[in-house]
Amino acid sequence: METKERERTYSWGNPLEGVELSKSLSGLDYLLAIRQGEVPASPLINTLDFSIGEIEEGRVSFVFEPKEFHYNPNGSVHGGVITSLLDSAMGCTLHSRLPQGMVYTTLELKVNFLKRVHTGSGMLVAEGKIIHLGGTTALLEASLKDAKGATYAHSVSTCLIIKNA
């Protein structure tokens, strides 16, 4: 079997710029500023090659096309990549509902992997949904689906809501 070297190059903006700006914006306005290129997106988005899909209050999606560089040794997308995608969708969905000066951190995360994800899976979308939003915690869920609506993974998360220091 012929081994062909593969290479990938990417760049990212200074994430601390966004952290500082986020203190003066609501969560939704902050996410919209990222989409409009006014604020650098999280370096994770570029590293894992996700794209922000839809952004509206209480609902954020990420688009993902599996590539070889996402693979584990078994020839499918590593579960950590899928988990990062689902965690991003849930976190940003929560962020879209937070007032100025508030942020979140994930307390707990559970993922069910339902179908193998690989380069033939096509474009996949992870969409977050808020199940419960309280004063200090939130319960969220996200699903990773293909264009036909087949679910590849499902996740739930509990997040702690805190003041942006």
Side-chain angles (χ1 to χ4, degrees), residues 64-80:
F64 168 67
E65 185 173 1
K67 306 254 179 23
E68 276 186 337
F69 61 82
H70 296 120
Y71 274 16
N72 61 26
N74 297 323
S76 60
V77 173
H78 191 282

Side-chain angles (χ1 to χ4, degrees), residues 115 123-125 143-152:
K115 291 180 77 165
M123 196 66 71
L124 301 174
V125 176
S143 292
L144 181 64
K145 297 183 178 188
D146 66 15
K148 295 178 183 174
T151 302
Y152 285 72

Side-chain angles (χ1 to χ4, degrees), residues 1 8 40 46 66 73 86 88 112 123 125 128 138-140 145:
M1 176 183 280
R8 178 169 180 256
N46 296 331
L86 293 166
S88 296
N112 289 323
M123 196 66 71
V125 176
L139 179 61
L140 306 133
K145 297 183 178 188

Side-chain angles (χ1 to χ4, degrees), residues 9-91:
T9 304
Y10 61 96
S11 60
W12 61 93
N14 180 355
L16 299 181
E17 280 180 34
V19 170
E20 203 51 45
L21 183 60
S22 72
K23 294 177 184 179
S24 65
L25 298 172
S26 71
L28 180 60
D29 288 339
Y30 178 63
L31 293 170
L32 292 171
I34 291 171
R35 163 169 271 162
Q36 295 164 359
E38 298 167 6
V39 178
S42 163
L44 179 74
I45 290 174
N46 296 331
T47 300
L48 295 178
D49 198 29
F50 302 162
S51 298
I52 297 174
E54 297 183 28
I55 299 174
E56 60 185 56
E57 188 173 334
R59 191 172 72 85
V60 175
S61 66
F62 283 81
V63 180
F64 168 67
E65 185 173 1
K67 306 254 179 23
E68 276 186 337
F69 61 82
H70 296 120
Y71 274 16
N72 61 26
N74 297 323
S76 60
V77 173
H78 191 282
V81 173
I82 296 166
T83 300
S84 294
L85 182 63
L86 293 166
D87 186 43
S88 296
M90 290 184 290

Side-chain angles (χ1 to χ4, degrees), residues 107-122:
L107 290 173
E108 174 269 338
L109 176 67
K110 178 185 184 303
V111 179
N112 289 323
F113 302 98
L114 305 171
K115 291 180 77 165
R116 180 176 172 256
V117 178
H118 55 89
T119 55
S121 299

